[in-house]
Amino acid sequence: MDLHILDHKLRVTCISKSGLEHYTHPLIKLIFLRNRTRCKFFSLTETPENYTVVLDEEGFKELQPSEHLQVEGSTWLPLNVVSNGNASSSSQAVGVTKIAKSVIAPLAEQHVSVFMLSTYQTDFILVREKDLSVVVDTLVEEFNIFREEGGESVPVHSQDACNGLQRNGREVSHATVHPVLIPENHFCVMSLDPDTLPAIATTLIDVLFYSNSPKEGASVDQDMECIKFFSFSLIDGYVSLVMDTEAQRQFPADLLFTSSSGELWRMVRIGGQPLGFDECGIVAQISQPLADSDISAYYISTFSFDHALVPEEDIVSVTEMLQAQRKDMSG
Amino acid sequence: MSSGYKPDILWSPHHADRYVICDNELSLYRIGPAGSSETKAGALPLSEETAATLLAINSDTPYMKCVAWYPKHEPECLLAVGQANGRVVLTSLGQSHNSKCKELMGKEFVPKHARQCNTLAWNPVDSNWLAAGLDKHRADFSVLIWDISSKFSPEAVPAEKVRMSGDADSGLVVTKPLYELGQNDACLSLCWLPRDHQKLLLAGMHRNLAIFDLRNTSQKTFVNTKAIQGVTVDPHFQDRVASFFEGQVAIWDLRKFEKPVFTLTEQPKPLTKVAWCPTRMGLLATLTRDSNIIRLYDMQHTPMPFGDEVEPTIIERSVQPCSESIISSFAWHPSAQNRMVVVSPNRIMNDFTVFERISLAWSSTTSLMWACGRHLYECAEDAGQGAAAAEKDIATKMRERAQSRYGHDTVQVWRNHVLAGGDDPQLRSLWYTLHYILQCSAVALQGTSEFLLMKQYTENVEQKQQSNKQSLIYSGIKNIVKSSSGTTETRRCWSGSDRQTDVPRYHSEERSLALQLCGWISRGPDIDVEPFLKSLEQEGEWERAAAVALFNLDIRRAIQILHKGASSEKGDLNLNVVAMALSGYTDEKNSLWREMCSSLRLQLKKPYLCIMFAFLTSEPGAYDGVLYESRVAVRDRVAFACMFLNDAQLPRFIEKLTNEMKEAGNLEGILLTGLTKDGVDLMESYVDRTGDVQTASFCMLKGSPGEVLKDPRVQCWIENYRNLLDAWRFWHKRAEFDIHRSKLDPSSKPLAQVFVSCNFCGKSISYSCSAIPHQGRGFSQYGVSGSPTKSKVTSCPGCRKPLPRCALCLMNMGTPVSSCPAKADEKADLTRDKKLAQFNNWFTWCHNCRHGGHAGHMLSWFRDHSECPVSACTCKCMQLDTTGNLVPCDSV
């Protein structure tokens, strides 16, 4: 297996719902006018609480600082696992599950905080730039690590300077168990030919920025069952969309790509309180049991909460599993 | 949306006249000659000669991303179209009655997860296999190999899962690929390897080029590179692959796959297409975005594989197929050499042939060869007759003249112009001049020697004068008339008439010498032109003879000559009329005769007739009509001037004429300049004009005083002529020339270049004979002289030790060669051996292994062998001799 440290320096930001109007211009520019910006990594996720924007430094320049914009202080680097072709075709599990054991768990053990971003095309594991040496040391046994610089992949070797303990300078603490929320909506993960992006521009703008306005009254009632979740990313020219079936109906069917089986996903939202960025092991908490049961998953972290997507047919077993885990921890 | 697609172009693999343009639809065109009956209505002109006709349009497949043409003959118009959602659809253009084609039409191959299809490639051998390269998906493979003959398998997809695929399940949808490769990776480009059709070369997203073998998909060879946007295998060199990324092309050798063998110079704009020429070895064409030029890289002479230390020899060129328009795409024609069709973004097409660089070679024998593409052209001089022959290149002329021994007739020097072909009046004049010079100088010498015999050592002064006179002969009429003194003036009667003329004639010793050089008289001081007139009559130069007679104030003789001319064979009857006119001559100034003659003479076409009347109608001393008649030979004008111009006029006229001749490089002027520095100047402008170093060399060698030979220009001509002879492989001619030269110019005699020294005492074996001036004779006593009866010396004259033995006959050197045991059929060789007899006894040896023997033996040995005749020696003596295998071009 190869691990690629991609050539992007990312910032994780959050735009409050009320402040969105101040940022529509840069956001539309970053989404639709690819030729006008040098931003290569852009992800926008709408949750009921806020909008999480992950973007590289070129894109970050577009966002004017204001009271409505929260910025996580560190620079994050995306990691990408490449299966080298001869992957396990036996296992049907995809996404985070596949890397749960090899990447997420070891990093959690070393107390490296990760920020997950799954897309239609691949899974990105974001780590803080300052944690990079720990990451390399941790994963160098399992992976061939490459750092991409200016289009070339350069092999990275462990510095071997650190000892096994106290690598991160953080204390080993017991993971807290976070409450989970399983909303009723069904989600689909889709992609799009970037060339056809202009064709769905109005729908996309409508869904992204005006979703709350028309059915303000109805949503109070629905809040418990369905939550608003929409994710758009444009990374290295690839578009990835995560939306619920209700939003999907607004798009023309022939333009969006999805799997031929038309699979649908249910969401598990992790966290009752905003999780922050320092706690580690949250992703591992969810992905570990999923991997054990060979259930595939998408995982999208946002500024406040983490979101895992699991196949709809597996949601029952996942729910049971999470409850069992809760009992174990508390018991 | 459609405006976003730039048209691409695809040639039919089997129909050399069909291609498809794909943008948002597929259009099939047929290309044909412009203006032919087939292609008149609606034909789009592609070039001056060709036009394209639209045959069919297919717009069934939207969101087209890539197209591949079925490689087999049947069904011929089957195309695979890769769409933006990753589906691959089989479609066709035009009607096809092939049942297999109907069955396949509309068949769709659907990947599990939709994403863009980037590239398609049919397997060249197993043509049911179609490889599709897709964008990446987190849980799917990016290379799917479909079997187009596989049937729809409904059990593959559970019914409840088909919700989103909509209309797809019409029975023509295939969802199970034959092979899946490259998980978690995008495939941007792929191609099957022609060397092994089970192998596939992929260019993937994670900066990899990878080779998969379908027989064992878990094994792959891969290399990390950023040049992954496109890969293409050289059809002529199946281990050579070009791949590109942005503006850079990398060339790979699959046998040394670790790194590119070389990369081409980076272009500032990203590349859009890179294609090997299918009809020409090692020619790669590249196109960058928004460009109107196609760059070509010629790697024909790039060795593969080549070492790291060698700089690759790649010739880079660019072509501009359509003058202004940007090129959207291009495609090489599959069979027509170096031909391509280019298409612009607004679908304007252009048929274009890349011309090969021409390589050109001159042969030393005036033929010219050049190669262009697969054609070899030879341009030889047309050996036509008449006018064409006169226009022959000077090199051809010199070659022919060398073969006819031009310049070597030293007895009848004038004959050399006949050897030169006899058709050049300047050469004729030159050789006559040289002839007269040599004749006069011979007379003068004779005089001197007679003089010396009579009054030996007594009167040095006289002797000096004589030798002065001799050098004067070579210095040309210009100098002769300058030194003229003691001119006497006479007025003579017209011969055969009592009438006194008022024409003054001038005499002096120098003037008569000049007349001798002009060839009018043979020996002074009496002016007797009769022999000259006779010779002119013999040659049929009637007008000239008449003019000469007239200038010698013999009208009757002139009339007689003209009459003779008119009555001769092929004679011109007009000469009688001229004779009549001449007979009416009157010296009355205002007569009608004079008036008519002076005006009508200008209409005479023959220059000599013209000057005759000019002379008769001129005032004494004002003979411009004669002197400046350029059609008259310089020789005759000068002779005339020497007779009728006074001491003041004569040098002025000669000076003027000399300068004229020098400027024009006219060899007739050598008469005036002689073989002096002036003569070299004149010759220089002649050589500049014609390049005839041969004539220049021979002419200047005649310059007896040797002064002119020291002129560097003369040496340069001689050396160039010798080189020319060598280049023509006229080695014997060159040797002959060298001999000729050394006779005339003893200083040019080459020094001995070869010495043979005794192995024992180290003394030269020719030492004892070195007193004899001619070097070659030094060896004569060693049997080299050719006469076997002469005394032979087989030992060193210094120490009496024997000379080395010939490696073949094992006799000591110095023994003459015994006649070779010749077979009956080697008669031709025998005569050759005889001719070489003198050389056969010569010493010869290899400079490398130092073995050798009699030259004749060695020659016959190396005719059949390349190795040294000494049994233990493996020296390839003959191959070391670069000129050894060349045969002289001139016969021995």
Side-chain angles (χ1 to χ4, degrees):
Chain A
M1 300 273 270
D2 292 346
L3 182 79
H4 288 250
I5 303 162
L6 304 182
D7 197 8
H8 299 290
K9 296 205 185 304
L10 306 179
R11 304 302 297 261
V12 179
T13 67
C14 166
I15 299 167
S16 67
K17 289 254 161 169
S18 56
L20 178 67
E21 59 198 79
H22 303 285
Y23 291 98
T24 43
H25 175 257
L27 291 180
I28 285 175
K29 184 175 170 185
L30 289 167
I31 296 171
F32 297 109
L33 304 173
R34 279 186 295 152
N35 300 333
R36 299 284 188 81
T37 101
R38 281 155 57 190
C39 177
K40 293 276 172 55
F41 195 111
F42 174 80
S43 161
L44 172 66
T45 309
E46 184 189 6
T47 55
E49 299 77 30
N50 49 32
Y51 290 91
T52 302
V53 181
V54 181
L55 71 185
D56 62 16
E57 282 172 334
E58 288 291 338
F60 184 63
K61 286 178 195 160
E62 305 279 346
L63 304 180
Q64 294 297 318
S66 79
E67 51 183 324
H68 306 290
L69 182 74
Q70 274 180 273
V71 181
E72 204 285 319
S74 354
T75 300
W76 296 75
L77 298 176
L79 311 181
N80 190 205
V81 174
V82 181
S83 56
N84 229 347
N86 45 356
S88 50
S89 44
S90 58
S91 166
Q92 280 300 306
V94 294
V96 180
T97 311
K98 203 171 62 187
I99 53 172
K101 286 202 164 106
S102 53
V103 182
I104 295 167
L107 289 183
E109 274 171 39
Q110 293 301 326
H111 303 280
V112 175
S113 173
V114 298
F115 187 95
M116 286 297 301
L117 187 60
S118 294
T119 66
Y120 187 76
Q121 288 84 17
T122 190
D123 297 294
F124 295 104
I125 307 149
L126 274 58
V127 296
R128 284 191 174 95
E129 194 174 26
K130 63 181 167 65
D131 292 338
L132 190 65
S133 59
V134 184
V135 172
V136 170
D137 287 343
T138 312
L139 301 177
V140 77
E141 279 167 34
E142 193 89 17
F143 293 93
N144 300 314
I145 303 177
F146 296 94
R147 178 152 201 172
E148 288 179 7
E149 281 163 6
E152 298 278 10
S153 297
V154 185
V156 176
H157 303 289
S158 166
Q159 297 301 307
D160 250 355
C162 337
N163 51 33
L165 293 167
Q166 298 290 321
R167 273 178 180 170
N168 214 6
R170 278 183 219 137
E171 282 183 21
V172 179
S173 64
H174 264 288
T176 45
V177 175
H178 295 281
V180 295
L181 174 71
I182 303 175
E184 286 298 313
N185 17 7
H186 289 76
F187 288 89
C188 36
V189 183
M190 311 186 91
S191 178
L192 182 72
D193 180 356
D195 293 337
T196 59
L197 204 51
I200 59 154
T202 48
T203 319
L204 195 59
I205 290 170
D206 192 26
V207 171
L208 270 176
F209 303 136
Y210 300 97
S211 55
N212 297 346
S213 36
K215 37 194 177 175
E216 197 73 54
S219 65
V220 181
D221 194 35
Q222 282 183 334
D223 228 7
M224 284 314 286
E225 289 92 41
C226 296
I227 66 159
K228 174 68 191 174
F229 185 88
F230 187 93
S231 171
F232 171 90
S233 68
L234 179 54
I235 297 165
D236 289 326
Y238 289 105
V239 177
S240 172
L241 295 158
V242 178
M243 64 183 95
D244 61 11
T245 44
E246 197 185 323
Q248 189 227 333
R249 274 194 289 278
Q250 298 178 49
F251 287 92
D254 59 338
L255 287 180
L256 297 179
F257 305 155
T258 185
S259 51
S260 56
S261 58
E263 58 198 359
L264 291 177
W265 303 79
R266 291 290 295 274
M267 178 186 284
V268 179
R269 194 186 81 169
I270 301 112
Q273 297 293 313
L275 296 168
F277 289 89
D278 291 328
E279 188 182 337
C280 42
I282 303 170
V283 183
Q285 239 177 71
I286 299 294
S287 63
Q288 200 76 40
L290 290 179
D292 291 339
S293 338
D294 210 9
I295 296 169
S296 55
Y298 282 78
Y299 202 102
I300 297 174
S301 300
T302 64
F303 211 80
S304 309
F305 301 108
D306 281 4
H307 307 80
L309 293 174
V310 294
E312 56 173 335
E313 59 267 29
D314 293 323
I315 190 67
V316 179
S317 55
V318 170
T319 314
E320 285 166 4
M321 199 160 54
L322 288 174
Q323 279 166 356
Q325 190 186 28
R326 192 169 298 264
K327 273 178 197 156
D328 283 356
M329 296 294 238
S330 52
Chain B
M1 246 188 306
S2 60
S3 62
Y5 295 115
K6 284 185 179 168
D8 196 2
I9 187 163
L10 209 65
W11 276 97
S12 159
H14 295 294
H15 291 269
D17 61 343
R18 296 193 185 183
Y19 62 88
V20 159
I21 298 278
C22 16
D23 37 19
N24 50 345
E25 58 188 16
L26 297 164
S27 327
L28 177 68
Y29 288 90
R30 186 182 57 214
I31 194 164
S36 82
S37 55
E38 285 178 79
T39 58
K40 49 176 190 269
L44 302 158
L46 296 189
S47 67
E48 278 170 22
E49 288 92 30
T50 52
T53 321
L54 182 62
L55 295 183
I57 290 184
N58 179 336
S59 44
D60 301 342
T61 47
Y63 316 122
M64 198 157 41
K65 283 289 171 186
C66 49
V67 183
W69 202 312
Y70 188 67
K72 289 281 162 77
H73 270 286
E74 279 296 323
E76 63 177 54
C77 245
L78 183 67
L79 294 167
V81 176
Q83 290 177 305
N85 58 6
R87 292 178 177 223
V88 178
V89 183
L90 296 184
T91 187
S92 97
L93 271 162
Q95 288 92 24
S96 174
H97 306 292
N98 187 298
S99 61
K100 189 185 174 195
C101 183
K102 278 182 185 158
E103 197 181 293
L104 291 170
M105 271 280 296
K107 208 162 186 175
E108 281 192 45
F109 303 91
V110 183
K112 257 193 272 168
H113 297 93
R115 55 251 143 92
Q116 182 172 314
C117 179
N118 291 319
T119 176
L120 284 173
W122 293 94
N123 189 301
V125 177
D126 200 337
S127 58
N128 277 340
W129 291 6
L130 176 64
L134 303 158
D135 268 345
K136 68 174 166 183
H137 181 269
R138 61 208 297 273
D140 206 350
F141 296 90
S142 61
V143 177
L144 306 175
I145 295 161
W146 302 100
D147 182 352
I148 59 161
S149 60
S150 72
K151 297 280 179 286
F152 170 60
S153 43
E155 69 279 358
V157 185
E160 76 272 8
K161 285 249 170 184
V162 200
R163 271 176 306 194
M164 309 218 26
S165 39
D167 61 333
D169 47 350
S170 56
L172 279 166
V173 174
V174 178
T175 54
K176 188 145 180 58
L178 200 61
Y179 293 98
E180 294 172 313
L181 302 168
Q183 205 171 22
N184 211 343
D185 211 348
C187 176
L188 298 180
S189 179
L190 58 82
C191 54
W192 296 92
L193 294 184
R195 203 180 274 295
D196 183 348
H197 74 278
Q198 299 266 33
K199 283 188 178 171
L200 200 57
L201 176 64
L202 311 175
M205 190 60 198
H206 281 288
R207 297 177 171 83
N208 270 328
L209 284 182
I211 299 170
F212 278 92
D213 190 335
L214 295 184
R215 289 159 294 204
N216 182 2
T217 51
S218 64
Q219 228 175 17
K220 66 167 184 177
T221 337
F222 72 98
V223 62
N224 227 286
T225 172
K226 55 180 174 175
I228 48 153
Q229 273 179 344
V231 283
T232 169
V233 181
D234 185 347
H236 292 284
F237 192 90
Q238 299 179 344
D239 285 318
R240 184 151 67 186
V241 171
S243 76
F244 68 95
F245 166 76
E246 293 190 344
Q248 205 164 37
V249 179
I251 308 292
W252 304 82
D253 187 333
L254 295 182
R255 297 165 298 182
K256 283 171 74 183
F257 202 40
E258 303 84 42
K259 64 184 176 74
V261 273
F262 52 85
T263 50
L264 304 179
T265 25
E266 192 161 351
Q267 299 304 315
K269 280 181 180 171
L271 292 156
T272 54
K273 186 151 185 171
V274 170
W276 295 99
C277 177
T279 51
R280 158 71 151 71
M281 272 284 279
L283 186 63
L284 186 74
T286 67
L287 175 68
T288 56
R289 202 180 61 200
D290 303 331
S291 159
N292 60 349
I293 58 168
I294 290 174
R295 234 168 267 276
L296 298 167
Y297 298 89
D298 186 352
M299 287 163 231
Q300 193 170 29
H301 302 292
T302 311
M304 284 291 273
F306 60 80
D308 296 332
E309 68 280 358
V310 195
E311 273 288 300
T313 45
I314 299 171
I315 302 159
E316 188 183 332
R317 302 160 61 189
S318 53
V319 291
Q320 202 172 344
C322 33
S323 51
E324 249 127 76
S325 168
I326 285 171
I327 299 165
S328 166
S329 185
F330 69 92
W332 289 106
H333 190 281
S335 56
Q337 203 189 346
N338 289 8
R339 182 172 163 194
M340 57 168 72
V341 165
V342 296
V343 60
S344 70
N346 46 357
R347 270 199 170 207
I348 295 168
M349 296 170 283
N350 239 309
D351 187 0
F352 180 76
T353 299
V354 177
F355 275 93
E356 284 285 345
R357 291 170 336 108
I358 290 173
S359 52
L360 180 131
W362 275 103
S363 127
S364 59
T365 55
T366 68
S367 72
L368 177 66
M369 291 266 251
W370 67 92
C372 181
R374 280 178 207 156
H375 302 283
L376 189 64
Y377 299 92
E378 184 176 3
C379 169
E381 210 170 351
D382 187 15
Q385 275 96 40
E391 294 306 309
K392 267 188 204 161
D393 185 68
I394 187 65
T396 317
K397 284 191 199 166
M398 284 196 281
R399 197 156 178 268
E400 285 172 2
R401 287 171 188 172
Q403 269 171 320
S404 64
R405 302 191 71 252
Y406 171 59
H408 286 289
D409 196 327
T410 48
V411 183
Q412 283 180 290
V413 177
W414 61 271
R415 267 187 53 81
N416 283 312
H417 95 263
V418 181
L419 297 175
D423 52 2
D424 190 328
Q426 287 200 22
L427 290 187
R428 183 189 150 96
S429 165
L430 172 72
W431 286 105
Y432 269 105
T433 303
L434 294 173
H435 177 74
Y436 295 135
I437 288 176
L438 293 171
Q439 215 171 33
C440 292
S441 99
V443 169
L445 261 183
Q446 207 175 28
T448 316
S449 49
E450 277 167 18
F451 186 83
L452 284 175
L453 279 173
M454 286 194 293
K455 309 184 178 182
Q456 248 175 337
Y457 311 116
T458 48
E459 289 192 70
N460 278 331
V461 188
E462 290 271 327
Q463 188 191 347
K464 236 175 208 167
Q465 274 177 356
Q466 286 290 350
S467 68
N468 270 351
K469 189 190 171 193
Q470 211 217 330
S471 68
L472 200 59
I473 290 166
Y474 284 96
S475 61
I477 290 176
K478 188 180 141 192
N479 289 324
I480 293 171
V481 298
K482 257 188 210 158
S483 65
S484 177
S485 57
T487 307
T488 55
E489 189 180 321
T490 59
R491 282 166 197 267
R492 252 178 65 188
C493 314
W494 288 98
S495 46
S497 151
D498 300 333
R499 266 183 295 167
Q500 189 75 24
T501 59
D502 54 355
V503 184
R505 250 196 83 164
Y506 302 93
H507 298 271
S508 74
E509 209 177 324
E510 286 76 19
R511 282 177 190 245
S512 77
L513 179 61
L515 285 178
Q516 281 180 49
L517 292 177
C518 289
W520 278 26
I521 56 172
S522 54
R523 201 178 280 214
D526 301 325
I527 297 171
D528 178 16
V529 292
E530 197 48 37
F532 182 51
L533 291 178
K534 285 243 165 64
S535 75
L536 288 177
E537 276 179 334
Q538 248 170 12
E539 285 166 44
E541 293 189 77
W542 308 109
E543 295 90 354
R544 192 174 166 204
V548 173
L550 184 74
F551 297 151
N552 284 286
L553 307 176
D554 196 346
I555 286 193
R556 197 166 287 276
R557 178 84 173 102
I559 291 169
Q560 189 194 339
I561 291 167
L562 288 175
H563 182 67
K564 216 191 238 176
S567 54
S568 73
E569 252 183 288
K570 291 188 234 162
D572 185 357
L573 288 177
N574 284 335
L575 292 180
N576 275 333
V577 182
V578 177
M580 269 161 68
L582 210 55
S583 63
Y585 167 71
T586 167
D587 54 356
E588 266 177 60
K589 291 275 185 298
N590 299 317
S591 69
L592 180 67
W593 187 91
R594 241 170 208 260
E595 195 185 316
M596 291 325 289
C597 283
S598 60
S599 61
L600 289 175
R601 74 170 181 92
L602 294 172
Q603 288 171 25
L604 287 168
K605 292 221 169 61
K606 310 235 167 147
Y608 281 97
L609 300 181
C610 187
I611 58 165
M612 276 161 73
F613 290 104
F615 173 63
L616 290 177
T617 57
S618 298
E619 292 298 318
Y623 299 113
D624 285 5
V626 180
L627 296 173
Y628 295 107
E629 175 55 65
S630 59
R631 290 175 296 165
V632 169
V634 170
R635 170 179 315 287
D636 295 330
R637 284 190 273 157
V638 170
F640 177 86
C642 288
M643 285 163 76
F644 298 107
L645 292 187
N646 62 31
D647 277 354
Q649 286 173 311
L650 183 61
R652 226 182 304 137
F653 168 70
I654 298 290
E655 181 78 40
K656 193 172 173 205
L657 193 60
T658 308
N659 289 340
E660 223 170 85
M661 295 288 123
K662 267 164 77 174
E663 215 144 284
N666 189 336
L667 292 180
E668 291 184 68
I670 292 291
L671 176 71
L672 304 172
T673 61
L675 300 176
T676 57
K677 199 189 151 290
D678 263 357
V680 178
D681 288 346
L682 189 149
M683 193 57 88
E684 184 182 18
S685 64
Y686 169 77
V687 172
D688 287 350
R689 187 163 60 83
T690 62
D692 185 2
V693 288
Q694 185 183 37
T695 301
S697 305
F698 278 112
C699 170
M700 289 305 156
L701 277 175
K702 303 282 185 214
S704 165
E707 289 305 316
V708 290
L709 281 169
K710 292 196 185 85
D711 193 300
R713 288 172 289 180
V714 176
Q715 288 304 321
C716 172
W717 297 330
I718 290 173
E719 281 314 309
N720 272 304
Y721 181 54
R722 294 179 70 239
N723 289 342
L724 211 48
L725 289 172
D726 280 343
W728 291 328
R729 288 185 284 152
F730 280 4
W731 294 316
H732 296 95
K733 296 278 174 219
R734 206 257 292 152
E736 214 176 342
F737 176 77
D738 283 345
I739 295 164
H740 178 78
R741 180 187 176 195
S742 63
K743 277 183 190 156
L744 295 169
D745 175 17
S747 66
S748 73
K749 209 170 280 176
L751 295 169
Q753 292 162 333
V754 180
F755 299 93
V756 180
S757 67
C758 172
N759 270 340
F760 299 99
C761 66
K763 280 184 190 154
S764 168
I765 61 163
S766 56
Y767 177 73
S768 55
C769 325
S770 62
I772 301 165
H774 196 79
Q775 292 284 353
R777 274 175 216 161
F779 293 105
S780 62
Q781 54 187 318
Y782 301 100
V784 166
S785 70
S787 162
T789 53
K790 271 195 178 168
S791 67
K792 293 147 286 196
V793 178
T794 57
S795 58
C796 169
C799 61
R800 301 279 160 209
K801 295 261 172 57
L803 292 175
R805 291 170 191 276
C806 168
L808 281 166
C809 68
L810 302 179
M811 303 288 275
N812 288 96
M813 291 306 294
T815 334
V817 171
S818 57
S819 59
C820 307
K823 289 165 205 155
D825 58 329
E826 281 183 350
K827 266 195 177 152
D829 261 12
L830 255 181
T831 55
R832 195 183 151 84
D833 282 346
K834 258 183 200 158
K835 280 184 181 165
L836 284 173
Q838 294 200 344
F839 181 64
N840 277 351
N841 292 337
W842 196 246
F843 294 68
T844 188
W845 60 91
C846 170
H847 286 222
N848 186 44
C849 67
R850 293 164 187 274
H851 295 131
H854 293 114
H857 292 156
M858 290 299 143
L859 269 179
S860 60
W861 172 265
F862 284 115
R863 225 167 277 155
D864 309 318
H865 304 82
S866 62
E867 221 166 76
C868 180
V870 174
S871 52
C873 181
T874 55
C875 177
K876 304 243 185 261
C877 312
M878 208 55 189
Q879 285 170 11
L880 297 172
D881 187 354
T882 49
T883 53
N885 296 317
L886 294 175
V887 186
C889 216
D890 48 353
S891 53
V892 182

